[in-house]
Amino acid sequence: MSWRRHARIAGAQLKISTQAALEYRVGFWTEGVVGVLWSLGGVVPLVVALDHRPDVAGWGFWEVALLTGFYLIISGIYAALLQPAIAASMAHIRRGTLDYLLLRPIDGLVSCLLAAFEPWSLIEAVFGVALVIGAAIQLELSPSLAQLGTLALVFGSGLVGLYALGVLMLAVSFRALALENLTYLMETLLDFAHWPISVFRGPLKLVFTFVVPFAVMTSYPAQSLMGTLEPHALIGAVLTAAGLAAIARWAWCRALRGYTSASS
Amino acid sequence: MSSRLAAKLAALWRLGFAEATAYRASVLVWVLATSLPLISLVLWRSIAEAGPIGDYDQGGFDSYFIAAFLVRQLSASWVVWDLDRQIRTGELSALLMRPVHPVLHHAVFNLSALPLRTLLAAPVGLAVLLATRGIVVADTALLLGLAIPAIMLAWALNFVTQLAIGCLAFWLTKAAALYDVWLGAYIVLAGYLVPTSLFPAGLAAVARVLPFHAALGFPVELLVGRLSVAEALAGLGLQLGWLALLGPIAAFAWRRGLRAYGAFGA
């Protein structure tokens, strides 16, 4: 019952924002096309590296293309679904009007994560899917059912990790004001998800695997499609996502207890 | 400068400093967000492990990205977000009543946060200096001297661009989102993620005359001693040229925008 209500509200929000997006057609250019162009622009450093080396930490041209495809999917989902919702919720927190979201008959956190969507940015994700398929054909990959299952599991973990980071940003913004730039920090940090995780060394590798798990979002899905993902990495990815989700939920509940709306 | 204006500017400076201190969490996030050259440093130094890339070896990358971090901190500006909000909410009306020009107000506000930013960024920079081979700067006093106006002009370029885009908020509801478009190009083309001299030849030639490179890559290369005096002077000229082009655009947008703003009755 409750699940169906959540799904209905998510569907309604998606419908409303799609209708709004179709009204605001200039968004096709400013959010969709520009989003794709700028994400591809982020590949320039990789192109530079491949210009001077035959591969980047063991990843050749088409392997990097596959990775870039997954990056576009993650970046598109972030820009279309997560970032607008977080930004809208932060604005509600600042103005003390978060009550409007909390009073809905669904979970408060889900309500915040459904606060706003910008569907045009999904063009980037669609482009990413096309790139993944194109690169897989070029690499002559024929993934087995098990590999596809691994891909689904790893990619799901990556998405959970991404959302957990978004919720953590939201929780922090209860405490400190004027933190809209946190989403900016996330956006610039996301640029490093362009790179295969094997490029990073030492502490930074640990950070990008377990704390800000870009590896789980882009490198692991590409590896699972190529069949080179180690089982222990898969377990690590699932545990990381579960851990981050638990921390995010806890931080959210804690932050919400300290929330006093505009009137109180 | 008359002493009365100086007193007003000093008051603004204190106000800006106090505000930066009050929103120190926000300033800290800014420092972190602009620390990305340090991640690029780790990345490129591991790629360069097997041998130099172009004319950059590991030490070269260390110097370049530490300098990029430094220049980014010193040339940062955020007037586009402030202006966007102030125009949208009508806060600008209060600024217009003050005896100091709003643009000057923003310039002083942006500059007055620099000491706190530097203070918050210093531990990060120091840790990186200790962990890497450190930074090798230009070896002549003349080149180092030229780096100072180059960094100041880089700040001016950032400020004026943001001002011009921020002024679009007089007509549009999403001016700050337009700045994201500029920022996307800046991150790729300014030499923020990779020195532009390593770009494929054709792309490098284009990127190095654009304002993005003038606002970051050029002062960085000057600081680490990769430019001759003639190249440095040419770069300074290019910075001034972009400033001469973007400055009037910003001034024009401001004047026209102010008229549109009044027309709303705000």
Side-chain angles (χ1 to χ4, degrees):
Chain A
M1 187 62 205
S2 151
W3 272 109
R4 272 174 55 196
R5 194 184 292 155
H6 282 82
R8 264 209 343 258
I9 291 195
Q13 177 65 46
L14 204 57
K15 200 172 131 200
I16 294 171
S17 42
T18 306
Q19 280 167 349
L22 288 175
E23 285 286 309
Y24 181 68
R25 256 160 297 185
V26 69
F28 171 77
W29 295 101
T30 57
E31 287 160 27
V33 175
V34 167
V36 173
L37 283 181
W38 272 195
S39 290
L40 286 179
V43 183
V44 167
L46 283 136
V47 173
V48 170
L50 284 173
D51 199 32
H52 293 270
R53 291 266 191 285
D55 62 85
V56 179
W59 295 59
F61 182 83
W62 285 107
E63 277 110 349
V64 167
L66 188 65
L67 185 73
T68 304
F70 282 110
Y71 173 84
L72 288 175
I73 300 175
I74 286 286
S75 162
I77 290 176
Y78 175 77
L81 306 179
L82 184 56
Q83 199 270 339
I86 299 288
S89 302
M90 279 183 180
H92 276 304
I93 294 172
R94 205 176 55 248
R95 288 198 302 260
T97 51
L98 192 69
D99 309 34
Y100 292 125
L101 291 181
L102 297 179
L103 281 173
R104 287 181 183 174
I106 54 170
D107 183 80
L109 180 54
V110 177
S111 183
C112 283
L113 291 178
L114 297 177
F117 294 148
E118 281 173 14
W120 283 123
S121 296
L122 283 175
I123 292 175
E124 204 180 328
V126 173
F127 203 80
V129 172
L131 191 57
V132 165
I133 295 172
I137 292 171
Q138 280 292 330
L139 290 167
E140 292 171 1
L141 298 178
S142 49
S144 65
L145 215 56
Q147 281 172 1
L148 286 178
T150 315
L151 170 66
L153 192 59
V154 165
F155 193 70
S157 303
L159 278 185
V160 170
L162 185 70
Y163 264 84
L165 291 176
V167 172
L168 281 173
M169 289 194 292
L170 194 58
V172 171
S173 72
F174 277 96
R175 304 289 306 249
L177 291 172
L179 279 185
E180 300 93 332
N181 53 15
L182 266 177
T183 58
Y184 165 78
L185 172 66
M186 184 68 190
E187 253 162 65
T188 28
L189 210 54
L190 203 58
D191 246 6
F192 289 98
H194 274 297
W195 293 87
I197 187 66
S198 45
V199 173
F200 296 100
R201 299 287 149 83
L204 214 52
K205 185 170 188 167
L206 291 179
V207 168
F208 284 153
T209 309
F210 298 112
V211 185
V212 190
F214 290 146
V216 184
M217 296 176 206
T218 58
S219 291
Y220 287 4
Q223 280 175 311
S224 66
L225 208 52
M226 293 187 285
T228 53
L229 187 70
E230 315 259 343
H232 66 82
L234 174 64
I235 297 168
V238 174
L239 288 181
T240 302
L244 275 176
I247 293 172
R249 185 76 204 185
W250 172 79
W252 161 261
C253 291
R254 226 185 112 89
L256 201 58
R257 240 178 286 147
Y259 171 70
T260 51
S261 68
S263 52
S264 54
Chain B
M1 194 192 292
S2 74
S3 66
R4 289 191 47 197
L5 182 61
K8 285 173 197 159
L9 291 185
L12 271 182
W13 179 280
R14 284 196 300 275
L15 191 62
F17 185 77
E19 193 165 288
T21 319
Y23 289 109
R24 53 195 173 276
S26 178
V27 176
L28 183 65
V29 171
W30 276 124
V31 170
L32 287 178
T34 46
S35 299
L36 298 181
L38 300 179
I39 301 182
S40 294
L41 186 161
V42 178
L43 207 149
W44 282 103
R45 110 189 293 270
S46 86
I47 294 177
E49 220 164 46
I53 294 184
D55 51 355
Y56 281 87
D57 56 4
Q58 277 194 321
F61 280 121
D62 286 356
S63 292
Y64 181 91
F65 285 115
I66 293 174
F69 173 68
L70 193 70
V71 172
R72 185 79 179 97
Q73 295 303 323
L74 292 176
S75 66
S77 174
W78 51 92
V79 61
V80 64
W81 289 280
D82 284 351
L83 201 58
D84 178 65
R85 191 193 64 244
Q86 287 170 346
I87 293 171
R88 213 160 9 91
T89 61
E91 279 174 64
L92 186 68
S93 306
L95 276 192
L96 288 169
M97 300 290 286
R98 290 196 186 161
V100 176
H101 196 281
V103 172
L104 197 57
H105 167 98
H106 279 296
V108 175
F109 251 60
N110 275 213
L111 285 175
S112 62
L114 274 184
L116 186 69
R117 273 185 86 114
T118 315
L119 199 68
L120 289 172
V124 184
L126 212 62
V128 174
L129 273 182
L130 293 176
T132 62
R133 293 190 205 168
I135 177 171
V136 179
V137 293
D139 49 5
T140 70
L142 176 61
L143 283 172
L144 277 180
L146 286 176
I148 295 170
I151 293 174
M152 283 158 66
L153 285 173
W155 178 84
L157 262 176
N158 280 334
F159 184 80
V160 165
T161 322
Q162 292 203 359
L163 192 65
I165 296 177
C167 280
L168 293 177
F170 283 116
W171 299 279
L172 306 172
T173 44
K174 279 186 169 180
L178 275 177
Y179 184 69
D180 285 345
V181 174
W182 175 276
L183 203 63
Y186 173 89
I187 286 176
V188 175
L189 296 171
Y192 199 48
L193 300 173
V194 56
T196 49
S197 58
L198 293 179
F199 281 3
L203 185 60
V206 176
R208 293 175 72 81
V209 294
L210 292 178
F212 312 107
H213 186 259
L216 185 79
F218 162 63
V220 170
E221 287 176 5
L222 178 55
L223 198 59
V224 298
R226 285 191 175 266
L227 301 178
S228 65
V229 175
E231 286 170 320
L233 290 176
L236 283 170
L238 196 62
Q239 281 184 314
L240 284 171
W242 279 114
L243 215 51
L245 186 72
L246 292 168
I249 293 178
F252 178 73
W254 171 261
R255 274 199 301 272
R256 290 297 295 265
L258 220 48
R259 251 180 265 160
Y261 183 69
F264 286 137

